[in-house]
């Protein structure tokens, strides 16, 4: 996961402003496997014998996983955990935190640390122009002039905002007050912990996919986060992931 190189400028305290178009997602901790779904589901009929699923090959029971997904028996998909470390613009986290059920968050604080001058710039592939009315619109590629304008205006705004932030800090203004001048394009970082069921709900809303039975129109930047989380989850729980896609990418 690479950062996009860009021009840097010096802030009043010598910190160089930098600009990125990529978000990053790291899986830092997990307890998640397809077998977690199976023992949770089979306790309803097998009781203590459901513990035997811990030693069995989940591949033998992928039909059960598909049944649970298809008929939307959701609770067996909650007995697992994944913790991600995410670096993204603040505006992505403000959308992210609309997902409350089955999620835990801890984000870096502008009250307790001086925020670093790292800012978001759309990459060349980012579609810039919105067409149509709300609920029925699409985004299309911008012109070269629009991309150049966007980069120039955003960079200039970011630099001036961070200079104002630094000026207040040097004058002794509290961090929690000075941060108010910083834009939502500033990069932040957080830990986000979820289970497979809550992640499936997130992916159903925050990614576009050809197999989705219910269309979604996410903002591209949060979709970039979702795509990376999905790639990690697919490796941990391949049978569950396959059933999710086979049944229209609808959370059970």
């Amino acid at each position: 996961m690479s950062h996009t190189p860009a021009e840097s400028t010096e802030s009043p305290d010598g910190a160089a402003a930098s600009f990125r178009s990529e978000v990053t997602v790291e899986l830092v901790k997990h307890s998640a496997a397809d077998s977690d779904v199976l023992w949770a589901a089979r306790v309803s009929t097998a009781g203590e014998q459901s513990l035997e699923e811990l030693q069995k090959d989940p591949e033998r029971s992928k039909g059960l996983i598909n049944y649970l997904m298809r008929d939307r028996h959701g609770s067996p998909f909650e007995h697992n955990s994944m913790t991600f470390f995410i670096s993204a613009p603040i505006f992505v986290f403000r959308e992210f935190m609309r997902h409350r059920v089955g999620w835990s968050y801890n984000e870096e604080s502008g009250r307790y640390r001086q925020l670093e001058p790292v800012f978001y710039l759309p990459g060349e592939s980012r579609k810039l122009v919105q067409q149509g009315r709300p609920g029925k619109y699409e985004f299309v590629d911008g012109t070269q002039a629009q991309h150049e304008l966007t980069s120039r205006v955003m960079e200039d705004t970011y630099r001036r905002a961070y200079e104002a932030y630094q000026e207040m800090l040097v004058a002794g203004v509290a961090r929690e007050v000075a941060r108010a001048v910083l834009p939502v394009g500033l990069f932040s970082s957080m830990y986000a912990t979820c289970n497979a069921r809550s992640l499936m709900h997130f992916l159903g809303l925050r990614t576009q996919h050809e197999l989705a039975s219910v269309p979604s129109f996410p903002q591209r930047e949060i979709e970039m986060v979702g795509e990376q989380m999905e790639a990690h989850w697919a490796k941990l729980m391949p049978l569950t992931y396959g059933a999710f896609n086979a049944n229209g990418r609808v959370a059970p």
Side-chain angles (χ1 to χ4, degrees), residues 28-46:
V28 297
K29 181 181 178 182
H30 69 86
S31 174
D34 290 315
S35 58
D36 298 332
V37 180
L38 298 173
W39 54 253
R42 288 207 161 112
V43 72
S44 60
T45 56

PDB file of all heavy atoms in Angstrom, residues 28-46:
ATOM      1  N   VAL A  28      -4.695  -5.791  11.762  1.00  0.00           N
ATOM      2  CA  VAL A  28      -3.712  -5.878  12.845  1.00  0.00           C
ATOM      3  C   VAL A  28      -4.002  -7.012  13.828  1.00  0.00           C
ATOM      4  O   VAL A  28      -3.110  -7.434  14.569  1.00  0.00           O
ATOM      5  CB  VAL A  28      -3.615  -4.544  13.610  1.00  0.00           C
ATOM      6  CG1 VAL A  28      -3.124  -3.443  12.690  1.00  0.00           C
ATOM      7  CG2 VAL A  28      -4.940  -4.150  14.238  1.00  0.00           C
ATOM      8  N   LYS A  29      -5.228  -7.515  13.824  1.00  0.00           N
ATOM      9  CA  LYS A  29      -5.608  -8.548  14.789  1.00  0.00           C
ATOM     10  C   LYS A  29      -6.882  -9.212  14.293  1.00  0.00           C
ATOM     11  O   LYS A  29      -7.757  -8.542  13.745  1.00  0.00           O
ATOM     12  CB  LYS A  29      -5.831  -7.906  16.163  1.00  0.00           C
ATOM     13  CG  LYS A  29      -6.219  -8.853  17.278  1.00  0.00           C
ATOM     14  CD  LYS A  29      -6.422  -8.060  18.570  1.00  0.00           C
ATOM     15  CE  LYS A  29      -6.868  -8.955  19.709  1.00  0.00           C
ATOM     16  NZ  LYS A  29      -7.106  -8.183  20.960  1.00  0.00           N
ATOM     17  N   HIS A  30      -6.990 -10.528  14.508  1.00  0.00           N
ATOM     18  CA  HIS A  30      -8.236 -11.177  14.098  1.00  0.00           C
ATOM     19  C   HIS A  30      -8.419 -12.502  14.826  1.00  0.00           C
ATOM     20  O   HIS A  30      -7.465 -13.152  15.249  1.00  0.00           O
ATOM     21  CB  HIS A  30      -8.258 -11.411  12.585  1.00  0.00           C
ATOM     22  CG  HIS A  30      -7.277 -12.453  12.123  1.00  0.00           C
ATOM     23  ND1 HIS A  30      -7.568 -13.800  12.097  1.00  0.00           N
ATOM     24  CD2 HIS A  30      -6.010 -12.345  11.670  1.00  0.00           C
ATOM     25  CE1 HIS A  30      -6.532 -14.475  11.648  1.00  0.00           C
ATOM     26  NE2 HIS A  30      -5.566 -13.621  11.391  1.00  0.00           N
ATOM     27  N   SER A  31      -9.650 -12.861  14.961  1.00  0.00           N
ATOM     28  CA  SER A  31     -10.072 -14.196  15.366  1.00  0.00           C
ATOM     29  C   SER A  31     -11.289 -14.495  14.507  1.00  0.00           C
ATOM     30  O   SER A  31     -12.433 -14.206  14.891  1.00  0.00           O
ATOM     31  CB  SER A  31     -10.430 -14.237  16.861  1.00  0.00           C
ATOM     32  OG  SER A  31     -10.963 -15.504  17.213  1.00  0.00           O
ATOM     33  N   ALA A  32     -11.044 -15.001  13.310  1.00  0.00           N
ATOM     34  CA  ALA A  32     -12.118 -15.146  12.332  1.00  0.00           C
ATOM     35  C   ALA A  32     -11.826 -16.323  11.414  1.00  0.00           C
ATOM     36  O   ALA A  32     -10.774 -16.369  10.775  1.00  0.00           O
ATOM     37  CB  ALA A  32     -12.272 -13.862  11.515  1.00  0.00           C
ATOM     38  N   ALA A  33     -12.767 -17.268  11.355  1.00  0.00           N
ATOM     39  CA  ALA A  33     -12.643 -18.432  10.485  1.00  0.00           C
ATOM     40  C   ALA A  33     -14.040 -18.934  10.147  1.00  0.00           C
ATOM     41  O   ALA A  33     -15.007 -18.673  10.876  1.00  0.00           O
ATOM     42  CB  ALA A  33     -11.836 -19.545  11.166  1.00  0.00           C
ATOM     43  N   ASP A  34     -14.149 -19.665   9.051  1.00  0.00           N
ATOM     44  CA  ASP A  34     -15.449 -20.216   8.669  1.00  0.00           C
ATOM     45  C   ASP A  34     -15.997 -21.162   9.735  1.00  0.00           C
ATOM     46  O   ASP A  34     -17.218 -21.265   9.921  1.00  0.00           O
ATOM     47  CB  ASP A  34     -15.327 -20.952   7.337  1.00  0.00           C
ATOM     48  CG  ASP A  34     -15.100 -20.012   6.164  1.00  0.00           C
ATOM     49  OD1 ASP A  34     -15.787 -18.977   6.088  1.00  0.00           O
ATOM     50  OD2 ASP A  34     -14.231 -20.309   5.333  1.00  0.00           O
ATOM     51  N   SER A  35     -15.120 -21.841  10.463  1.00  0.00           N
ATOM     52  CA  SER A  35     -15.579 -22.764  11.504  1.00  0.00           C
ATOM     53  C   SER A  35     -16.335 -22.027  12.617  1.00  0.00           C
ATOM     54  O   SER A  35     -17.187 -22.625  13.285  1.00  0.00           O
ATOM     55  CB  SER A  35     -14.393 -23.535  12.087  1.00  0.00           C
ATOM     56  OG  SER A  35     -13.420 -22.654  12.621  1.00  0.00           O
ATOM     57  N   ASP A  36     -16.049 -20.743  12.796  1.00  0.00           N
ATOM     58  CA  ASP A  36     -16.768 -19.971  13.813  1.00  0.00           C
ATOM     59  C   ASP A  36     -18.266 -19.908  13.497  1.00  0.00           C
ATOM     60  O   ASP A  36     -19.101 -19.893  14.403  1.00  0.00           O
ATOM     61  CB  ASP A  36     -16.221 -18.541  13.897  1.00  0.00           C
ATOM     62  CG  ASP A  36     -14.762 -18.501  14.310  1.00  0.00           C
ATOM     63  OD1 ASP A  36     -14.321 -19.426  15.017  1.00  0.00           O
ATOM     64  OD2 ASP A  36     -14.071 -17.543  13.919  1.00  0.00           O
ATOM     65  N   VAL A  37     -18.576 -19.843  12.231  1.00  0.00           N
ATOM     66  CA  VAL A  37     -19.985 -19.813  11.817  1.00  0.00           C
ATOM     67  C   VAL A  37     -20.646 -21.156  12.117  1.00  0.00           C
ATOM     68  O   VAL A  37     -21.795 -21.221  12.584  1.00  0.00           O
ATOM     69  CB  VAL A  37     -20.097 -19.494  10.314  1.00  0.00           C
ATOM     70  CG1 VAL A  37     -21.561 -19.473   9.875  1.00  0.00           C
ATOM     71  CG2 VAL A  37     -19.408 -18.172   9.989  1.00  0.00           C
ATOM     72  N   LEU A  38     -19.915 -22.237  11.887  1.00  0.00           N
ATOM     73  CA  LEU A  38     -20.491 -23.574  11.988  1.00  0.00           C
ATOM     74  C   LEU A  38     -20.802 -23.975  13.421  1.00  0.00           C
ATOM     75  O   LEU A  38     -21.896 -24.477  13.709  1.00  0.00           O
ATOM     76  CB  LEU A  38     -19.553 -24.587  11.333  1.00  0.00           C
ATOM     77  CG  LEU A  38     -19.332 -24.353   9.835  1.00  0.00           C
ATOM     78  CD1 LEU A  38     -18.260 -25.283   9.294  1.00  0.00           C
ATOM     79  CD2 LEU A  38     -20.643 -24.530   9.065  1.00  0.00           C
ATOM     80  N   TRP A  39     -19.841 -23.780  14.348  1.00  0.00           N
ATOM     81  CA  TRP A  39     -20.159 -24.187  15.716  1.00  0.00           C
ATOM     82  C   TRP A  39     -21.245 -23.306  16.319  1.00  0.00           C
ATOM     83  O   TRP A  39     -22.073 -23.767  17.104  1.00  0.00           O
ATOM     84  CB  TRP A  39     -18.927 -24.264  16.606  1.00  0.00           C
ATOM     85  CG  TRP A  39     -18.022 -23.079  16.726  1.00  0.00           C
ATOM     86  CD1 TRP A  39     -16.784 -22.949  16.188  1.00  0.00           C
ATOM     87  CD2 TRP A  39     -18.244 -21.887  17.486  1.00  0.00           C
ATOM     88  NE1 TRP A  39     -16.216 -21.747  16.537  1.00  0.00           N
ATOM     89  CE2 TRP A  39     -17.096 -21.078  17.344  1.00  0.00           C
ATOM     90  CE3 TRP A  39     -19.293 -21.420  18.274  1.00  0.00           C
ATOM     91  CZ2 TRP A  39     -16.969 -19.821  17.938  1.00  0.00           C
ATOM     92  CZ3 TRP A  39     -19.173 -20.173  18.870  1.00  0.00           C
ATOM     93  CH2 TRP A  39     -18.024 -19.388  18.705  1.00  0.00           C
ATOM     94  N   ALA A  40     -21.289 -22.030  15.924  1.00  0.00           N
ATOM     95  CA  ALA A  40     -22.333 -21.146  16.431  1.00  0.00           C
ATOM     96  C   ALA A  40     -23.701 -21.568  15.923  1.00  0.00           C
ATOM     97  O   ALA A  40     -24.699 -21.514  16.654  1.00  0.00           O
ATOM     98  CB  ALA A  40     -22.038 -19.703  16.022  1.00  0.00           C
ATOM     99  N   ALA A  41     -23.760 -22.019  14.674  1.00  0.00           N
ATOM    100  CA  ALA A  41     -25.042 -22.442  14.108  1.00  0.00           C
ATOM    101  C   ALA A  41     -25.494 -23.781  14.662  1.00  0.00           C
ATOM    102  O   ALA A  41     -26.680 -23.983  14.966  1.00  0.00           O
ATOM    103  CB  ALA A  41     -24.928 -22.522  12.579  1.00  0.00           C
ATOM    104  N   ARG A  42     -24.570 -24.712  14.848  1.00  0.00           N
ATOM    105  CA  ARG A  42     -24.947 -26.073  15.209  1.00  0.00           C
ATOM    106  C   ARG A  42     -25.270 -26.236  16.692  1.00  0.00           C
ATOM    107  O   ARG A  42     -25.817 -27.262  17.092  1.00  0.00           O
ATOM    108  CB  ARG A  42     -23.838 -27.043  14.790  1.00  0.00           C
ATOM    109  CG  ARG A  42     -23.784 -27.212  13.259  1.00  0.00           C
ATOM    110  CD  ARG A  42     -23.225 -28.566  12.863  1.00  0.00           C
ATOM    111  NE  ARG A  42     -23.586 -28.896  11.502  1.00  0.00           N
ATOM    112  CZ  ARG A  42     -22.740 -28.988  10.478  1.00  0.00           C
ATOM    113  NH1 ARG A  42     -21.459 -28.725  10.676  1.00  0.00           N
ATOM    114  NH2 ARG A  42     -23.164 -29.320   9.283  1.00  0.00           N
ATOM    115  N   VAL A  43     -24.959 -25.243  17.500  1.00  0.00           N
ATOM    116  CA  VAL A  43     -25.300 -25.372  18.925  1.00  0.00           C
ATOM    117  C   VAL A  43     -26.806 -25.480  19.125  1.00  0.00           C
ATOM    118  O   VAL A  43     -27.282 -26.066  20.092  1.00  0.00           O
ATOM    119  CB  VAL A  43     -24.715 -24.190  19.746  1.00  0.00           C
ATOM    120  CG1 VAL A  43     -25.467 -22.898  19.455  1.00  0.00           C
ATOM    121  CG2 VAL A  43     -24.734 -24.495  21.237  1.00  0.00           C
ATOM    122  N   SER A  44     -27.575 -24.928  18.187  1.00  0.00           N
ATOM    123  CA  SER A  44     -29.033 -24.953  18.338  1.00  0.00           C
ATOM    124  C   SER A  44     -29.594 -26.373  18.280  1.00  0.00           C
ATOM    125  O   SER A  44     -30.636 -26.658  18.881  1.00  0.00           O
ATOM    126  CB  SER A  44     -29.697 -24.095  17.247  1.00  0.00           C
ATOM    127  OG  SER A  44     -29.383 -24.589  15.961  1.00  0.00           O
ATOM    128  N   THR A  45     -28.899 -27.283  17.592  1.00  0.00           N
ATOM    129  CA  THR A  45     -29.383 -28.663  17.482  1.00  0.00           C
ATOM    130  C   THR A  45     -28.448 -29.684  18.120  1.00  0.00           C
ATOM    131  O   THR A  45     -28.879 -30.775  18.504  1.00  0.00           O
ATOM    132  CB  THR A  45     -29.563 -29.043  16.006  1.00  0.00           C
ATOM    133  OG1 THR A  45     -28.322 -28.846  15.304  1.00  0.00           O
ATOM    134  CG2 THR A  45     -30.648 -28.189  15.352  1.00  0.00           C
ATOM    135  N   ALA A  46     -27.161 -29.315  18.257  1.00  0.00           N
ATOM    136  CA  ALA A  46     -26.185 -30.279  18.759  1.00  0.00           C
ATOM    137  C   ALA A  46     -25.698 -29.979  20.170  1.00  0.00           C
ATOM    138  O   ALA A  46     -25.004 -30.809  20.770  1.00  0.00           O
ATOM    139  CB  ALA A  46     -24.987 -30.342  17.813  1.00  0.00           C
TER     140      ALA A  46
END
